[in-house]
mmCIF file of all heavy atoms in Angstrom:
data_model
loop_
_atom_site.group_PDB
_atom_site.id
_atom_site.type_symbol
_atom_site.label_atom_id
_atom_site.label_comp_id
_atom_site.label_asym_id
_atom_site.label_seq_id
_atom_site.Cartn_x
_atom_site.Cartn_y
_atom_site.Cartn_z
ATOM 1 N N HIS C 11 123.875 92.107 95.274
ATOM 2 C CA HIS C 11 124.614 90.887 95.605
ATOM 3 C C HIS C 11 126.018 91.288 96.035
ATOM 4 O O HIS C 11 126.754 91.917 95.268
ATOM 5 C CB HIS C 11 124.655 89.943 94.401
ATOM 6 C CG HIS C 11 123.303 89.442 93.990
ATOM 7 N ND1 HIS C 11 122.697 88.358 94.591
ATOM 8 C CD2 HIS C 11 122.418 89.910 93.060
ATOM 9 C CE1 HIS C 11 121.506 88.152 94.043
ATOM 10 N NE2 HIS C 11 121.311 89.090 93.114
ATOM 11 N N VAL C 12 126.385 90.949 97.259
ATOM 12 C CA VAL C 12 127.672 91.376 97.825
ATOM 13 C C VAL C 12 128.395 90.175 98.421
ATOM 14 O O VAL C 12 127.835 89.080 98.543
ATOM 15 C CB VAL C 12 127.467 92.445 98.919
ATOM 16 C CG1 VAL C 12 126.784 93.683 98.353
ATOM 17 C CG2 VAL C 12 126.647 91.885 100.077
ATOM 18 N N GLN C 13 129.642 90.404 98.799
ATOM 19 C CA GLN C 13 130.422 89.361 99.459
ATOM 20 C C GLN C 13 129.926 89.162 100.892
ATOM 21 O O GLN C 13 129.385 90.084 101.514
ATOM 22 C CB GLN C 13 131.908 89.741 99.475
ATOM 23 C CG GLN C 13 132.542 89.855 98.097
ATOM 24 C CD GLN C 13 132.561 88.533 97.370
ATOM 25 O OE1 GLN C 13 132.872 87.481 97.952
ATOM 26 N NE2 GLN C 13 132.220 88.573 96.084
ATOM 27 N N ARG C 14 130.153 87.963 101.403
ATOM 28 C CA ARG C 14 129.676 87.645 102.740
ATOM 29 C C ARG C 14 130.240 88.596 103.788
ATOM 30 O O ARG C 14 129.555 88.965 104.736
ATOM 31 C CB ARG C 14 130.041 86.192 103.103
ATOM 32 C CG ARG C 14 129.477 85.754 104.453
ATOM 33 C CD ARG C 14 129.841 84.321 104.790
ATOM 34 N NE ARG C 14 129.232 83.925 106.048
ATOM 35 C CZ ARG C 14 128.013 83.402 106.173
ATOM 36 N NH1 ARG C 14 127.266 83.208 105.098
ATOM 37 N NH2 ARG C 14 127.526 83.082 107.355
ATOM 38 N N ARG C 15 131.491 88.995 103.609
ATOM 39 C CA ARG C 15 132.104 89.869 104.621
ATOM 40 C C ARG C 15 131.373 91.206 104.736
ATOM 41 O O ARG C 15 131.332 91.820 105.808
ATOM 42 C CB ARG C 15 133.586 90.091 104.307
ATOM 43 C CG ARG C 15 133.864 90.879 103.047
ATOM 44 C CD ARG C 15 135.356 91.159 102.883
ATOM 45 N NE ARG C 15 135.647 91.951 101.703
ATOM 46 C CZ ARG C 15 135.775 91.465 100.478
ATOM 47 N NH1 ARG C 15 135.671 90.150 100.281
ATOM 48 N NH2 ARG C 15 136.027 92.262 99.457
ATOM 49 N N GLU C 16 130.772 91.672 103.621
ATOM 50 C CA GLU C 16 130.017 92.923 103.679
ATOM 51 C C GLU C 16 128.740 92.753 104.509
ATOM 52 O O GLU C 16 128.357 93.646 105.262
ATOM 53 C CB GLU C 16 129.680 93.394 102.264
ATOM 54 C CG GLU C 16 130.890 93.801 101.451
ATOM 55 C CD GLU C 16 130.502 94.389 100.106
ATOM 56 O OE1 GLU C 16 129.652 95.317 100.074
ATOM 57 O OE2 GLU C 16 131.026 93.923 99.081
ATOM 58 N N LEU C 17 128.097 91.607 104.353
ATOM 59 C CA LEU C 17 126.923 91.330 105.183
ATOM 60 C C LEU C 17 127.328 91.210 106.652
ATOM 61 O O LEU C 17 126.610 91.681 107.541
ATOM 62 C CB LEU C 17 126.234 90.042 104.732
ATOM 63 C CG LEU C 17 125.478 90.093 103.399
ATOM 64 C CD1 LEU C 17 124.860 88.730 103.095
ATOM 65 C CD2 LEU C 17 124.409 91.166 103.409
ATOM 66 N N ASP C 18 128.463 90.556 106.899
ATOM 67 C CA ASP C 18 128.951 90.432 108.276
ATOM 68 C C ASP C 18 129.154 91.805 108.895
ATOM 69 O O ASP C 18 128.815 92.031 110.065
ATOM 70 C CB ASP C 18 130.264 89.639 108.309
ATOM 71 C CG ASP C 18 130.079 88.179 107.928
ATOM 72 O OD1 ASP C 18 128.940 87.692 108.003
ATOM 73 O OD2 ASP C 18 131.080 87.530 107.564
ATOM 74 N N GLU C 19 129.717 92.727 108.122
ATOM 75 C CA GLU C 19 129.959 94.080 108.636
ATOM 76 C C GLU C 19 128.651 94.822 108.871
ATOM 77 O O GLU C 19 128.471 95.506 109.885
ATOM 78 C CB GLU C 19 130.843 94.853 107.651
ATOM 79 C CG GLU C 19 132.275 94.330 107.582
ATOM 80 C CD GLU C 19 133.069 94.998 106.478
ATOM 81 O OE1 GLU C 19 132.498 95.880 105.783
ATOM 82 O OE2 GLU C 19 134.253 94.638 106.299
ATOM 83 N N LEU C 20 127.713 94.690 107.920
ATOM 84 C CA LEU C 20 126.425 95.370 108.072
ATOM 85 C C LEU C 20 125.680 94.879 109.311
ATOM 86 O O LEU C 20 125.012 95.653 109.995
ATOM 87 C CB LEU C 20 125.559 95.139 106.831
ATOM 88 C CG LEU C 20 125.912 95.950 105.588
ATOM 89 C CD1 LEU C 20 125.137 95.434 104.383
ATOM 90 C CD2 LEU C 20 125.627 97.428 105.815
ATOM 91 N N CYS C 21 125.801 93.581 109.601
ATOM 92 C CA CYS C 21 125.085 92.986 110.734
ATOM 93 C C CYS C 21 125.949 92.913 111.980
ATOM 94 O O CYS C 21 125.564 92.265 112.965
ATOM 95 C CB CYS C 21 124.598 91.583 110.365
ATOM 96 S SG CYS C 21 123.385 91.595 109.041
ATOM 97 N N ARG C 22 127.104 93.580 111.953
ATOM 98 C CA ARG C 22 128.017 93.627 113.101
ATOM 99 C C ARG C 22 128.358 92.233 113.622
ATOM 100 O O ARG C 22 128.420 91.995 114.825
ATOM 101 C CB ARG C 22 127.417 94.482 114.221
ATOM 102 C CG ARG C 22 127.190 95.935 113.824
ATOM 103 C CD ARG C 22 126.601 96.739 114.984
ATOM 104 N NE ARG C 22 126.451 98.132 114.632
ATOM 105 C CZ ARG C 22 125.363 98.651 114.034
ATOM 106 N NH1 ARG C 22 124.357 97.842 113.727
ATOM 107 N NH2 ARG C 22 125.292 99.920 113.739
ATOM 108 N N GLY C 23 128.554 91.303 112.681
ATOM 109 C CA GLY C 23 128.979 89.963 113.059
ATOM 110 C C GLY C 23 127.876 89.036 113.515
ATOM 111 O O GLY C 23 128.134 87.872 113.818
ATOM 112 N N GLN C 24 126.627 89.530 113.574
ATOM 113 C CA GLN C 24 125.527 88.677 114.002
ATOM 114 C C GLN C 24 125.057 87.783 112.852
ATOM 115 O O GLN C 24 125.328 88.059 111.687
ATOM 116 C CB GLN C 24 124.361 89.528 114.517
ATOM 117 C CG GLN C 24 124.720 90.368 115.743
ATOM 118 C CD GLN C 24 123.518 91.111 116.291
ATOM 119 O OE1 GLN C 24 122.411 90.590 116.298
ATOM 120 N NE2 GLN C 24 123.732 92.334 116.743
ATOM 121 N N VAL C 25 124.354 86.720 113.197
ATOM 122 C CA VAL C 25 123.878 85.776 112.189
ATOM 123 C C VAL C 25 122.895 86.474 111.252
ATOM 124 O O VAL C 25 121.954 87.134 111.701
ATOM 125 C CB VAL C 25 123.197 84.559 112.856
ATOM 126 C CG1 VAL C 25 122.652 83.615 111.789
ATOM 127 C CG2 VAL C 25 124.194 83.835 113.755
ATOM 128 N N HIS C 26 123.107 86.341 109.937
ATOM 129 C CA HIS C 26 122.226 87.001 108.974
ATOM 130 C C HIS C 26 121.634 86.050 107.941
ATOM 131 O O HIS C 26 120.771 86.442 107.163
ATOM 132 C CB HIS C 26 122.970 88.127 108.257
ATOM 133 C CG HIS C 26 124.286 87.701 107.671
ATOM 134 N ND1 HIS C 26 124.389 86.805 106.643
ATOM 135 C CD2 HIS C 26 125.552 88.038 108.008
ATOM 136 C CE1 HIS C 26 125.663 86.626 106.331
ATOM 137 N NE2 HIS C 26 126.401 87.341 107.163
ATOM 138 N N GLN C 27 122.103 84.829 107.883
ATOM 139 C CA GLN C 27 121.543 83.815 106.977
ATOM 140 C C GLN C 27 121.585 84.241 105.509
ATOM 141 O O GLN C 27 120.751 83.851 104.695
ATOM 142 C CB GLN C 27 120.104 83.457 107.385
ATOM 143 C CG GLN C 27 120.037 82.792 108.764
ATOM 144 C CD GLN C 27 118.627 82.715 109.307
ATOM 145 O OE1 GLN C 27 118.033 83.732 109.635
ATOM 146 N NE2 GLN C 27 118.092 81.515 109.422
ATOM 147 N N GLY C 28 122.569 85.069 105.188
ATOM 148 C CA GLY C 28 122.809 85.401 103.791
ATOM 149 C C GLY C 28 121.998 86.544 103.221
ATOM 150 O O GLY C 28 122.050 86.815 102.027
ATOM 151 N N VAL C 29 121.249 87.234 104.069
ATOM 152 C CA VAL C 29 120.464 88.359 103.562
ATOM 153 C C VAL C 29 120.371 89.436 104.635
ATOM 154 O O VAL C 29 120.338 89.153 105.838
ATOM 155 C CB VAL C 29 119.051 87.892 103.134
ATOM 156 C CG1 VAL C 29 118.266 87.389 104.346
ATOM 157 C CG2 VAL C 29 118.296 89.010 102.434
ATOM 158 N N CYS C 30 120.351 90.680 104.217
ATOM 159 C CA CYS C 30 120.241 91.810 105.143
ATOM 160 C C CYS C 30 119.379 92.877 104.477
ATOM 161 O O CYS C 30 119.581 93.206 103.301
ATOM 162 C CB CYS C 30 121.634 92.366 105.462
ATOM 163 S SG CYS C 30 121.646 93.812 106.535
ATOM 164 N N LEU C 31 118.418 93.385 105.210
ATOM 165 C CA LEU C 31 117.520 94.418 104.694
ATOM 166 C C LEU C 31 117.755 95.717 105.436
ATOM 167 O O LEU C 31 117.724 95.759 106.670
ATOM 168 C CB LEU C 31 116.060 93.988 104.873
ATOM 169 C CG LEU C 31 114.994 95.019 104.474
ATOM 170 C CD1 LEU C 31 114.978 95.225 102.971
ATOM 171 C CD2 LEU C 31 113.612 94.565 104.950
ATOM 172 N N GLU C 32 117.986 96.793 104.685
ATOM 173 C CA GLU C 32 118.104 98.109 105.296
ATOM 174 C C GLU C 32 116.716 98.737 105.347
ATOM 175 O O GLU C 32 116.037 98.858 104.326
ATOM 176 C CB GLU C 32 119.047 98.999 104.490
ATOM 177 C CG GLU C 32 119.275 100.358 105.133
ATOM 178 C CD GLU C 32 120.281 101.210 104.366
ATOM 179 O OE1 GLU C 32 120.579 100.876 103.206
ATOM 180 O OE2 GLU C 32 120.763 102.198 104.938
ATOM 181 N N ALA C 33 116.285 99.091 106.557
ATOM 182 C CA ALA C 33 114.931 99.619 106.736
ATOM 183 C C ALA C 33 114.927 100.683 107.813
ATOM 184 O O ALA C 33 115.849 100.765 108.633
ATOM 185 C CB ALA C 33 113.979 98.485 107.123
ATOM 186 N N THR C 34 113.884 101.507 107.810
ATOM 187 C CA THR C 34 113.749 102.506 108.865
ATOM 188 C C THR C 34 113.385 101.811 110.173
ATOM 189 O O THR C 34 112.769 100.745 110.166
ATOM 190 C CB THR C 34 112.647 103.513 108.523
ATOM 191 O OG1 THR C 34 111.434 102.807 108.258
ATOM 192 C CG2 THR C 34 113.016 104.324 107.295
ATOM 193 N N PRO C 35 113.773 102.382 111.305
ATOM 194 C CA PRO C 35 113.454 101.752 112.596
ATOM 195 C C PRO C 35 111.951 101.709 112.833
ATOM 196 O O PRO C 35 111.209 102.593 112.399
ATOM 197 C CB PRO C 35 114.136 102.670 113.622
ATOM 198 C CG PRO C 35 115.136 103.474 112.845
ATOM 199 C CD PRO C 35 114.566 103.613 111.471
ATOM 200 N N LEU C 36 111.494 100.658 113.522
ATOM 201 C CA LEU C 36 110.112 100.580 113.972
ATOM 202 C C LEU C 36 110.004 101.225 115.350
ATOM 203 O O LEU C 36 110.876 101.024 116.191
ATOM 204 C CB LEU C 36 109.636 99.130 114.049
ATOM 205 C CG LEU C 36 109.128 98.499 112.750
ATOM 206 C CD1 LEU C 36 108.814 97.030 112.957
ATOM 207 C CD2 LEU C 36 107.892 99.231 112.247
ATOM 208 N N ARG C 37 108.957 101.979 115.559
ATOM 209 C CA ARG C 37 108.741 102.649 116.839
ATOM 210 C C ARG C 37 107.543 102.032 117.548
ATOM 211 O O ARG C 37 106.661 101.460 116.926
ATOM 212 C CB ARG C 37 108.487 104.145 116.615
ATOM 213 C CG ARG C 37 109.540 104.852 115.788
ATOM 214 C CD ARG C 37 110.889 104.875 116.479
ATOM 215 N NE ARG C 37 111.871 105.657 115.722
ATOM 216 C CZ ARG C 37 113.162 105.671 115.976
ATOM 217 N NH1 ARG C 37 113.650 104.930 116.976
ATOM 218 N NH2 ARG C 37 113.990 106.405 115.252
ATOM 219 N N PHE C 38 107.530 102.188 118.858
ATOM 220 C CA PHE C 38 106.343 101.816 119.618
ATOM 221 C C PHE C 38 105.172 102.692 119.191
ATOM 222 O O PHE C 38 105.335 103.868 118.878
ATOM 223 C CB PHE C 38 106.578 101.995 121.117
ATOM 224 C CG PHE C 38 107.527 101.011 121.724
ATOM 225 C CD1 PHE C 38 108.738 101.431 122.246
ATOM 226 C CD2 PHE C 38 107.218 99.664 121.780
ATOM 227 C CE1 PHE C 38 109.617 100.525 122.819
ATOM 228 C CE2 PHE C 38 108.083 98.750 122.356
ATOM 229 C CZ PHE C 38 109.291 99.175 122.873
ATOM 230 N N LYS C 39 103.971 102.125 119.213
ATOM 231 C CA LYS C 39 102.761 102.900 118.976
ATOM 232 C C LYS C 39 102.322 103.558 120.278
ATOM 233 O O LYS C 39 102.608 103.063 121.370
ATOM 234 C CB LYS C 39 101.641 101.982 118.471
ATOM 235 C CG LYS C 39 101.948 101.289 117.153
ATOM 236 C CD LYS C 39 101.812 102.234 115.986
ATOM 237 C CE LYS C 39 101.979 101.506 114.665
ATOM 238 N NZ LYS C 39 101.766 102.383 113.504
ATOM 239 N N SER C 40 101.605 104.673 120.157
ATOM 240 C CA SER C 40 101.094 105.330 121.355
ATOM 241 C C SER C 40 99.805 104.667 121.794
ATOM 242 O O SER C 40 99.052 104.131 120.973
ATOM 243 C CB SER C 40 100.858 106.821 121.090
ATOM 244 O OG SER C 40 99.745 106.994 120.229
ATOM 245 N N LEU C 41 99.538 104.711 123.098
ATOM 246 C CA LEU C 41 98.313 104.107 123.616
ATOM 247 C C LEU C 41 97.065 104.817 123.112
ATOM 248 O O LEU C 41 95.993 104.230 123.052
ATOM 249 C CB LEU C 41 98.329 104.109 125.143
ATOM 250 C CG LEU C 41 99.071 102.928 125.776
ATOM 251 C CD1 LEU C 41 99.106 103.078 127.281
ATOM 252 C CD2 LEU C 41 98.416 101.615 125.393
ATOM 253 N N GLU C 42 97.197 106.079 122.725
ATOM 254 C CA GLU C 42 96.045 106.774 122.156
ATOM 255 C C GLU C 42 95.580 106.067 120.884
ATOM 256 O O GLU C 42 94.391 105.952 120.614
ATOM 257 C CB GLU C 42 96.394 108.235 121.850
ATOM 258 C CG GLU C 42 96.549 109.124 123.063
ATOM 259 C CD GLU C 42 97.845 108.849 123.834
ATOM 260 O OE1 GLU C 42 98.765 108.223 123.255
ATOM 261 O OE2 GLU C 42 97.935 109.246 125.008
ATOM 262 N N ASP C 43 96.527 105.556 120.102
ATOM 263 C CA ASP C 43 96.164 104.814 118.896
ATOM 264 C C ASP C 43 95.465 103.509 119.259
ATOM 265 O O ASP C 43 94.574 103.053 118.543
ATOM 266 C CB ASP C 43 97.413 104.506 118.069
ATOM 267 C CG ASP C 43 98.074 105.760 117.521
ATOM 268 O OD1 ASP C 43 97.356 106.762 117.348
ATOM 269 O OD2 ASP C 43 99.292 105.747 117.283
ATOM 270 N N ALA C 44 95.871 102.904 120.368
ATOM 271 C CA ALA C 44 95.270 101.631 120.775
ATOM 272 C C ALA C 44 93.816 101.802 121.153
ATOM 273 O O ALA C 44 93.023 100.863 121.065
ATOM 274 C CB ALA C 44 96.041 101.027 121.957
ATOM 275 N N GLU C 45 93.448 102.995 121.601
ATOM 276 C CA GLU C 45 92.070 103.239 122.025
ATOM 277 C C GLU C 45 91.175 103.660 120.866
ATOM 278 O O GLU C 45 89.982 103.819 121.022
ATOM 279 C CB GLU C 45 92.040 104.339 123.098
ATOM 280 C CG GLU C 45 92.934 104.063 124.307
ATOM 281 C CD GLU C 45 92.537 102.799 125.052
ATOM 282 O OE1 GLU C 45 91.379 102.384 124.929
ATOM 283 O OE2 GLU C 45 93.392 102.228 125.735
ATOM 284 N N THR C 46 91.771 103.879 119.687
ATOM 285 C CA THR C 46 90.995 104.366 118.556
ATOM 286 C C THR C 46 90.120 103.264 117.976
ATOM 287 O O THR C 46 90.608 102.170 117.720
ATOM 288 C CB THR C 46 91.947 104.889 117.449
ATOM 289 O OG1 THR C 46 92.763 105.929 118.000
ATOM 290 C CG2 THR C 46 91.150 105.445 116.282
ATOM 291 N N PRO C 47 88.826 103.521 117.753
ATOM 292 C CA PRO C 47 87.965 102.498 117.147
ATOM 293 C C PRO C 47 88.460 102.118 115.756
ATOM 294 O O PRO C 47 89.147 102.888 115.097
ATOM 295 C CB PRO C 47 86.596 103.193 117.074
ATOM 296 C CG PRO C 47 86.667 104.303 118.070
ATOM 297 C CD PRO C 47 88.096 104.742 118.107
ATOM 298 N N GLY C 48 88.106 100.932 115.338
ATOM 299 C CA GLY C 48 88.449 100.499 113.993
ATOM 300 C C GLY C 48 89.757 99.753 113.905
ATOM 301 O O GLY C 48 90.241 99.493 112.813
ATOM 302 N N LEU C 49 90.361 99.405 115.043
ATOM 303 C CA LEU C 49 91.615 98.667 115.023
ATOM 304 C C LEU C 49 91.385 97.175 115.209
ATOM 305 O O LEU C 49 92.302 96.440 115.521
ATOM 306 C CB LEU C 49 92.548 99.179 116.126
ATOM 307 C CG LEU C 49 93.117 100.570 115.907
ATOM 308 C CD1 LEU C 49 93.982 100.984 117.085
ATOM 309 C CD2 LEU C 49 93.927 100.645 114.626
ATOM 310 N N GLY C 50 90.149 96.724 115.024
ATOM 311 C CA GLY C 50 89.874 95.298 115.113
ATOM 312 C C GLY C 50 89.112 94.906 116.358
ATOM 313 O O GLY C 50 88.692 93.768 116.492
ATOM 314 N N ASP C 51 88.923 95.827 117.286
ATOM 315 C CA ASP C 51 88.175 95.497 118.495
ATOM 316 C C ASP C 51 86.684 95.588 118.207
ATOM 317 O O ASP C 51 86.221 96.484 117.501
ATOM 318 C CB ASP C 51 88.517 96.480 119.631
ATOM 319 C CG ASP C 51 89.960 96.353 120.065
ATOM 320 O OD1 ASP C 51 90.594 95.370 119.665
ATOM 321 O OD2 ASP C 51 90.426 97.250 120.791
ATOM 322 N N ASP C 52 85.924 94.702 118.761
ATOM 323 C CA ASP C 52 84.483 94.693 118.581
ATOM 324 C C ASP C 52 83.857 95.756 119.475
ATOM 325 O O ASP C 52 83.910 95.669 120.690
ATOM 326 C CB ASP C 52 83.939 93.305 118.931
ATOM 327 C CG ASP C 52 82.459 93.177 118.602
ATOM 328 O OD1 ASP C 52 81.778 94.199 118.390
ATOM 329 O OD2 ASP C 52 81.994 92.032 118.579
ATOM 330 N N ALA C 53 83.265 96.768 118.860
ATOM 331 C CA ALA C 53 82.714 97.879 119.640
ATOM 332 C C ALA C 53 81.567 97.442 120.530
ATOM 333 O O ALA C 53 81.255 98.097 121.514
ATOM 334 C CB ALA C 53 82.250 98.993 118.692
ATOM 335 N N SER C 54 80.938 96.343 120.214
ATOM 336 C CA SER C 54 79.817 95.884 121.027
ATOM 337 C C SER C 54 80.272 95.311 122.361
ATOM 338 O O SER C 54 79.478 95.123 123.265
ATOM 339 C CB SER C 54 79.033 94.809 120.260
ATOM 340 O OG SER C 54 79.798 93.625 120.151
ATOM 341 N N GLY C 55 81.574 94.996 122.476
ATOM 342 C CA GLY C 55 82.101 94.458 123.720
ATOM 343 C C GLY C 55 81.848 92.981 123.912
ATOM 344 O O GLY C 55 82.186 92.418 124.940
ATOM 345 N N LYS C 56 81.224 92.324 122.917
ATOM 346 C CA LYS C 56 80.894 90.912 123.066
ATOM 347 C C LYS C 56 82.105 90.021 122.869
ATOM 348 O O LYS C 56 82.160 88.912 123.382
ATOM 349 C CB LYS C 56 79.792 90.530 122.066
ATOM 350 C CG LYS C 56 78.454 91.211 122.346
ATOM 351 C CD LYS C 56 77.401 90.786 121.329
ATOM 352 C CE LYS C 56 76.072 91.484 121.598
ATOM 353 N NZ LYS C 56 75.049 91.111 120.595
ATOM 354 N N ARG C 57 83.065 90.493 122.094
ATOM 355 C CA ARG C 57 84.209 89.676 121.790
ATOM 356 C C ARG C 57 85.170 89.633 122.960
ATOM 357 O O ARG C 57 85.398 90.632 123.630
ATOM 358 C CB ARG C 57 84.925 90.248 120.560
ATOM 359 C CG ARG C 57 86.019 89.353 120.055
ATOM 360 C CD ARG C 57 86.701 89.984 118.849
ATOM 361 N NE ARG C 57 88.090 89.540 118.875
ATOM 362 C CZ ARG C 57 89.105 90.273 118.481
ATOM 363 N NH1 ARG C 57 88.909 91.483 118.043
ATOM 364 N NH2 ARG C 57 90.324 89.802 118.525
ATOM 365 N N GLN C 58 85.752 88.468 123.230
ATOM 366 C CA GLN C 58 86.779 88.374 124.264
ATOM 367 C C GLN C 58 88.019 89.122 123.802
ATOM 368 O O GLN C 58 88.545 88.846 122.721
ATOM 369 C CB GLN C 58 87.139 86.908 124.513
ATOM 370 C CG GLN C 58 86.144 86.144 125.362
ATOM 371 C CD GLN C 58 86.550 84.690 125.499
ATOM 372 O OE1 GLN C 58 86.713 83.998 124.511
ATOM 373 N NE2 GLN C 58 86.712 84.229 126.712
#
């Protein structure tokens, strides 16, 4: 629990709605992963 000004500084003045989470950056996935079976695509090809 911190003062609002600390959240303002962490978020570089952007709107934060009273909460800020420090997390590792998200990266794009590689297309090789998209082609891997088992990611929810129907292997039979029947699904749109």
Side-chain angles (χ1 to χ4, degrees):
H11 296 276
V12 299
Q13 297 296 317
R14 184 180 183 88
R15 67 175 182 277
E16 293 186 51
L17 288 180
D18 292 340
E19 291 173 1
L20 283 170
C21 296
R22 298 180 177 88
Q24 298 184 38
V25 177
H26 51 66
Q27 296 167 292
V29 65
C30 177
L31 176 69
E32 184 177 15
T34 55
L36 276 175
R37 307 295 185 191
F38 290 115
K39 299 284 186 176
S40 71
L41 276 176
E42 288 73 18
D43 295 334
E45 305 299 337
T46 302
L49 290 178
D51 295 347
D52 187 344
S54 69
K56 294 180 181 178
R57 188 181 149 214
Q58 282 177 303

